[in-house]
């Protein structure tokens, strides 16, 4: 058995279909997906008649969600929208180094709220507005906060800071910003189907007869 980093395999090899999910195994904090398809990971290349299997192993799963409907065993292109990337490549997932303080009410807080929400949805984030804006677990609580004269608006990464300060400028709301430098996470971001989660490591387990180049 050969184990290689899944990010390297997906970067170096082109996925070919069919790619069929055959089995899902969860043990402790580890998820294993067994897939069957033309062996694009093999030294001989994907153009062979026989199908082979490969295991994707995700260790130390953390923040995010995994939905049952993501495990579609009838989809012969399961890997079509499959992604494993270093977390540092997702701007919305960077450390919340910025604190933004407002010193006046926000004339249109719903506009600001929706800009953050649309940004996160468009980026495929599993985090929500409430993870960044103060008191934004509910819209009513955030609207009440935005009527204050002096308050913490958000703790957020750089990409959301730029969005917020732009909207505050447009609405004429004075604000101050403070930065506390934090260490970047070494986690991986995994996305497939409706699932998106973080893990510490992701591997491809390949039998000795199926070594890639």
């Amino acid at each position: 058995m050969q184990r290689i980093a899944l990010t390297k395999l997906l970067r170096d090899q082109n996925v070919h279909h069919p790619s069929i999910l055959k089995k899902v195994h969860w043990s402790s904090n580890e998820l294993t997906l067994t897939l069957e398809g033309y062996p694009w990971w093999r030294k001989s290349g994907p153009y062979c008649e026989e199908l082979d299997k490969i295991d994707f192993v995700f260790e130390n799963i953390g923040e995010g969600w995994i939905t049952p409907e993501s495990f579609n065993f009838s989809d012969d292109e399961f890997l079509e929208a499959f992604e494993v990337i270093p977390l540092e490549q997702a701007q919305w997932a960077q450390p919340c180094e910025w604190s933004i303080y407002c010193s006046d009410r926000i004339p249109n807080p719903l506009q600001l709220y929706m800009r953050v929400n649309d940004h996160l949805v468009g980026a495929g984030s599993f985090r929500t507005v409430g993870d960044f804006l103060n008191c934004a677990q509910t819209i009513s609580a955030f609207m009440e906060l935005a009527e204050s004269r002096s308050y913490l608006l958000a703790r957020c990464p750089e990409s959301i800071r730029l969005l917020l300060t732009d909207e505050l400028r447009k609405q004429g709301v004075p604000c101050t910003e403070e930065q506390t430098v934090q260490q970047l996470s070494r986690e991986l971001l995994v996305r497939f189907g409706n699932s998106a989660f973080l893990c510490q490591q992701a591997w491809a387990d390949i039998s000795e007869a199926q070594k890639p180049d």
Side-chain angles (χ1 to χ4, degrees), residues 10-66:
L10 295 175
R11 182 184 68 241
D12 295 346
Q13 306 287 340
N14 293 321
V15 172
H16 291 260
H17 302 300
S19 54
I20 305 167
L21 180 65
K22 301 300 289 186
K23 185 171 68 173
V24 176
H25 179 69
W26 180 273
S27 176
S28 183
N29 202 27
E30 179 177 294
L31 174 67
T32 301
L33 305 180
T34 299
L35 297 129
E36 182 180 75
Y38 289 127
W40 48 269
W41 56 88
R42 283 182 56 177
K43 183 176 181 179
S44 59
Y47 305 108
C48 61
E49 295 181 358
E50 295 183 0
L51 300 182
D52 272 311
K53 292 182 179 180
I54 185 171
D55 288 339
F56 289 175
V57 183
F58 307 96
E59 297 180 344
N60 297 314
I61 293 175
E63 184 183 1
W65 61 70
I66 300 175

Side-chain angles (χ1 to χ4, degrees), residues 159-192:
S159 61
I160 297 178
R161 178 191 76 86
L162 294 174
L163 184 152
L164 289 173
T165 53
D166 176 69
E167 184 61 32
L168 292 172
R169 179 186 57 80
K170 289 179 178 178
Q171 296 196 33
V173 181
C175 69
T176 58
E177 308 161 48
E178 294 182 1
Q179 184 181 21
T180 302
V181 177
Q182 300 179 28
Q183 186 175 3
L184 290 174
S185 172
R186 298 300 180 185
E187 292 175 294
L188 299 172
L189 172 62
V190 182
R191 287 192 281 215
F192 60 90

